[in-house]
Amino acid sequence: MVTDESGHGGGETVLCVECITTGMANQSTQTPAVDAVDSDPERAERVVVSYPADLSSWGRFQVEKPSFRAYLRKVHDEAREGDAWEEFVGVGCCGNSLDVPLQVERVDGGALIDENSEIEYTVREACDLQGSWAVQSAGGPTHSGTATDESN
C-alpha cells in the first residue's frame, strides 16, 4: 500500500526524491565505448603486405581479390612487420600450384588481425618468382610476366 505524507493510505503515489537520486547514483556512470572495435589497442587496423614485382598479372589479380584478403584475415591471427607468409593462390585453368611469398611491411595498431583489419598491398623487389605459364605448362616460359612486362 502506498501512503501519503501523513502516513495514511490515500491512494496517491508519493515518490521519495532521496530514493530516486540515490538509485541514480548507484547506476554505472561509465559511458559505452563509441566503437569497441576501433578502441582495441591490440587490434591491427591496417596490415600492409607486399608481393614481389615479378608476380604475374593473374597472380596480382588473385591476391588483390576481396575474397583473398578475407582468407588472409582468417588464416593469420597476428601480423608483425617482417613476417613472411607463403600463400597458395591457385592454379589458373590448369596446371600446378602457385605459391606467392607475401611479406608484412607495416602494421598500424596492434598485432591481432580480425575481420575489421584492412589488408593493403604494395609491391617489393622481384624474387625470381616462377609462375604464370610455367605453372600451367611445362613448355611455357620459366619466368612470370608482370603487369608492366609486355614481353610475355
Side-chain angles (χ1 to χ4, degrees):
M1 175 197 251
V2 179
T3 60
D4 63 16
E5 291 178 12
S6 65
H8 302 303
E12 292 182 31
T13 303
V14 177
L15 299 176
C16 172
V17 174
E18 181 181 10
C19 293
I20 295 172
T21 56
T22 301
M24 290 173 64
N26 289 336
Q27 291 180 352
S28 173
T29 57
Q30 295 177 349
T31 57
V34 174
D35 187 0
V37 169
D38 290 338
S39 65
D40 183 358
E42 300 296 316
R43 186 181 74 82
E45 293 182 30
R46 180 172 54 164
V47 179
V48 179
V49 178
S50 67
Y51 53 75
D54 53 349
L55 179 61
S56 67
S57 298
W58 180 84
R60 291 176 188 215
F61 173 74
Q62 297 305 312
V63 299
E64 291 191 8
K65 284 182 178 180
S67 59
F68 191 79
R69 292 171 199 250
Y71 164 78
L72 290 177
R73 287 185 203 99
K74 284 193 175 277
V75 299
H76 296 285
D77 296 328
E78 295 183 341
R80 289 182 174 75
E81 188 174 321
D83 284 355
W85 301 336
E86 188 82 14
E87 297 296 340
F88 171 77
V89 295
V91 296
C93 61
C94 58
N96 205 340
S97 66
L98 176 59
D99 292 324
V100 176
L102 301 176
Q103 184 170 320
V104 177
E105 300 293 337
R106 188 176 76 240
V107 179
D108 296 340
L112 299 178
I113 298 175
D114 67 11
E115 67 277 358
N116 295 306
S117 299
E118 179 184 343
I119 304 290
E120 182 179 303
Y121 289 102
T122 188
V123 179
R124 68 174 187 280
E125 70 281 350
C127 67
D128 197 30
L129 182 65
Q130 299 296 310
S132 190
W133 292 108
V135 168
Q136 298 180 1
S137 170
T142 59
H143 187 283
S144 64
T146 64
T148 58
D149 179 11
E150 296 184 20
S151 63
N152 289 343

